[in-house]
Amino acid sequence: MHRSIHVIIGAISGLFFASKLYLVPLCLIMGSIGGYIPDFDLRFGHRKSLHNLFSVLVGTISLYLLLNLFPCNLLHDNIWSLTLSFTTGWLLHIFCDSLTKRGAFIFWPFSNRAYGLRIFRSNSLASTATGFIIAFILLLAWLIYSGGLELLIKYL
Ligand SMILES: [Zn+2]
């Protein structure tokens, strides 16, 4: 699946944690970063070290501690919204990659087995289409969850 689709899916997933309007851009950014980060391990010729639950846990704890270091009330007051946006973006990236033929090494480094539905090749049209469908479903779910869809229908 193309990295930009992972970023879009991560950004949309971040919206679910934006409990206040001013958090929308911050959660979009944190979700995008979470969706972007895992493919950095492709530079090392594999899709293991950042495509597993252990790395998500380490990344989540690291981000939480990093946000705590900044002397900024905006970050401290919304630390869980920002951290969970990031984590969800990362988890959805792994889930989407698990749909590809290579699967995802979700229990690496404890297991070297790839898991997933393994439906299509990573760079195929089916992969891209599925990514956009997932993004659309997430956006629709967020619109329903946030009450935005009701407002949209009301003004149409
Ligand atoms: Zn990936």
Side-chain angles (χ1 to χ4, degrees), residues 63-84:
L63 177 67
Y64 183 85
L65 295 174
L66 185 71
L67 291 176
N68 256 321
L69 289 177
F70 283 98
C72 174
N73 285 341
L74 176 72
L75 296 178
H76 289 179
D77 293 346
N78 302 296
I79 198 161
W80 282 111
S81 295
L82 300 173
T83 304
L84 290 175

Side-chain angles (χ1 to χ4, degrees), residues 46 48-56 58 105-113:
H46 63 83
K48 291 180 181 176
S49 58
L50 295 174
H51 285 77
N52 62 75
L53 297 176
F54 183 68
S55 66
V56 175
V58 170
F105 296 85
I106 57 174
F107 297 115
W108 193 88
F110 307 106
S111 166
N112 210 23
R113 184 173 169 211

Side-chain angles (χ1 to χ4, degrees), residues 88-126:
T88 307
W90 195 328
L91 286 171
L92 283 171
H93 181 124
I94 294 171
F95 167 75
C96 289
D97 277 355
S98 75
L99 300 175
T100 65
K101 291 275 184 201
R102 284 165 55 187
F105 296 85
I106 57 174
F107 297 115
W108 193 88
F110 307 106
S111 166
N112 210 23
R113 184 173 169 211
Y115 294 88
L117 293 177
R118 299 175 176 203
I119 303 169
F120 38 67
R121 298 185 66 79
S122 187
N123 55 358
S124 67
L125 182 63

Side-chain angles (χ1 to χ4, degrees), residues 124-144:
S124 67
L125 182 63
S127 168
T128 304
T130 303
F132 279 113
I133 290 168
I134 290 170
F136 178 76
I137 290 169
L138 274 175
L139 186 60
L140 194 61
W142 176 73
L143 281 170
I144 293 168

